Amino acid sequence: MIYQFIKKLDAKNKIGKRIISRLITEEKRIKLERYLKDGPRRKMIRQVSDAGTSHLEDILQICLQHISPVTAPLSLVSQISCSGGLLLGRLLDGHSKLHAYPHAFSVDAPDKSSWPTIDIKGKPEEWLNIFSKSIPATGIREGFKQGEEDNARFPFIYLPILERQLFIKYLESVQPLNMRQIFDAHMTACFGAWLNYQNHGLDKKFVTAYAPGLTLQNQDLNNFFEIYPDGRLISIIRDPVHWFASVSRREPQIYGDIESALGHWKKSVRGIMEAREKFGDRVCIIQFESLIDRTESV
């Protein structure tokens, strides 16, 4: 390809860089490099798909033969609703050094804000059932939606049957198991079963995910940092006046009463500050107003 030829020139004498900068904008160049990086896997899937009939088994085998392990540490975004978590998620999504989890990181538990409880002596099928609730069936059927107020939906081509096979195969490759490897198996299976995911690569620094309410659960935070000692917690604090104006419209049944709502807000902020005191620099606190006004520096 012409682009790849120019890249070779660039490696030799920087001529290619000047040519590329004239022909392709920086944003499109990054997208093109990302596309080429995942070229072999995409090419094989296209060859199977172009045969004129559906070859699900062939697609599954191709993906199973070319597994991209996702072992980067987890960076969770967690705070009370309407504090800017979705906005931050959009900013992180598509970053070349990050894997962005496609949905809120929730589990099959009575309290959806709970960190998953995994029995290391259990069976892979049991662990898979816990994790699988993070990818709702509605998202697969109806497509990906970035926010409640944004009605636009994007194709989300995800194969639960492939997720299961990738999960099992990864676990078989990392015996003996520890708890971190079980979570790595889930992340590997999640991004591997997401067929139209465009940001594959082995040089990721973090996997980012939104975990609502985690800052309110002390034991959950302990469990998270025990599994991910290299992980991060990012929490956004929003001015309570502006926060209440937003959340009372979005969730009036929970936050419609101002005194009750402010009680929830204070509890959330206390949880964030306690987490910062306990876990130090692994907890990053961002002011919502700074995220809006000084996005690049934040």
Side-chain angles (χ1 to χ4, degrees):
M1 293 177 61
I2 295 176
Y3 179 77
Q4 292 171 319
F5 173 73
I6 295 175
K7 288 283 289 183
K8 291 181 180 179
L9 287 178
D10 185 28
K12 293 180 179 180
N13 52 22
K14 305 301 180 182
I15 295 176
K17 185 174 183 179
R18 293 196 294 271
I19 296 174
I20 291 172
S21 64
R22 293 293 184 88
L23 296 178
I24 308 174
T25 64
E26 180 71 11
E27 180 182 0
K28 291 184 178 180
R29 182 185 63 78
I30 293 174
K31 289 182 179 179
L32 181 57
E33 286 188 340
R34 191 180 303 150
Y35 181 88
L36 293 173
K37 185 183 297 183
D38 195 38
R41 182 173 183 267
R42 185 181 293 105
K43 181 179 179 181
M44 285 184 289
I45 292 176
R46 186 185 297 116
Q47 287 174 343
V48 172
S49 302
D50 287 345
T53 58
S54 176
H55 295 281
L56 179 59
E57 285 297 327
D58 293 335
I59 293 176
L60 294 179
Q61 289 305 314
I62 288 171
C63 294
L64 289 170
Q65 291 170 12
H66 298 83
I67 297 177
S68 296
V70 178
T71 59
L74 185 57
S75 179
L76 292 178
V77 179
S78 183
Q79 62 280 308
I80 199 168
S81 299
C82 293
S83 296
L86 288 176
L87 172 61
L88 181 58
R90 290 188 182 187
L91 294 174
L92 297 175
D93 189 12
H95 192 290
S96 61
K97 296 296 182 181
L98 302 173
H99 284 303
Y101 200 76
H103 291 276
F105 192 75
S106 58
V107 297
D108 186 15
D111 180 359
K112 291 299 182 182
S113 67
S114 297
W115 181 252
T117 301
I118 300 294
D119 181 3
I120 192 69
K121 297 180 180 179
K123 298 180 180 179
E125 288 77 10
E126 297 172 352
W127 306 332
L128 186 61
N129 287 336
I130 293 174
F131 285 122
S132 63
K133 300 301 180 181
S134 295
I135 310 296
T138 54
I140 300 174
R141 291 194 304 267
E142 301 174 7
F144 178 72
K145 186 178 180 181
Q146 290 190 321
E148 294 296 329
E149 298 178 359
D150 187 351
N151 292 322
R153 289 189 177 273
F154 303 91
F156 181 57
I157 304 175
Y158 193 88
L159 299 181
I161 187 174
L162 177 58
E163 175 194 12
R164 181 186 182 281
Q165 294 185 32
L166 288 169
F167 185 78
I168 300 297
K169 185 170 183 178
Y170 182 86
L171 290 176
E172 291 173 346
S173 70
V174 292
Q175 299 292 341
L177 282 177
N178 59 43
M179 194 67 73
R180 173 66 172 268
Q181 290 167 341
I182 295 175
F183 279 78
D184 288 344
H186 167 61
M187 294 301 175
T188 298
C190 171
F191 289 99
W194 182 1
L195 294 187
N196 60 329
Y197 180 59
Q198 300 294 312
N199 197 15
H200 285 286
L202 301 178
D203 57 344
K204 307 301 182 185
K205 292 184 176 180
F206 288 97
V207 176
T208 62
Y210 176 54
L214 189 71
T215 54
L216 301 177
Q217 310 289 336
N218 290 331
Q219 187 56 49
D220 286 349
L221 283 177
N222 291 335
N223 293 338
F224 165 62
F225 281 116
E226 182 177 344
I227 296 171
Y228 287 98
D230 51 352
R232 297 291 187 273
L233 174 67
I234 304 173
S235 293
I236 305 172
I237 297 178
R238 187 176 184 181
D239 178 273
V241 175
H242 298 151
W243 169 80
F244 177 73
S246 176
V247 78
S248 60
R249 292 195 305 268
R250 290 278 299 276
E251 302 180 48
Q253 69 280 12
I254 301 176
Y255 301 107
D257 178 75
I258 187 169
E259 291 188 6
S260 175
L262 289 178
H264 285 290
W265 182 88
K266 291 178 181 178
K267 184 178 180 181
S268 174
V269 172
R270 280 197 300 269
I272 293 170
M273 301 308 294
E274 290 172 0
R276 171 70 180 189
E277 182 177 353
K278 183 173 184 178
F279 299 107
D281 292 341
R282 288 182 288 175
V283 177
C284 176
I285 301 175
I286 300 175
Q287 287 186 316
F288 177 80
E289 292 72 22
S290 297
L291 185 63
I292 297 296
D293 298 333
R294 301 191 301 276
T295 305
E296 186 172 349
S297 62
V298 170

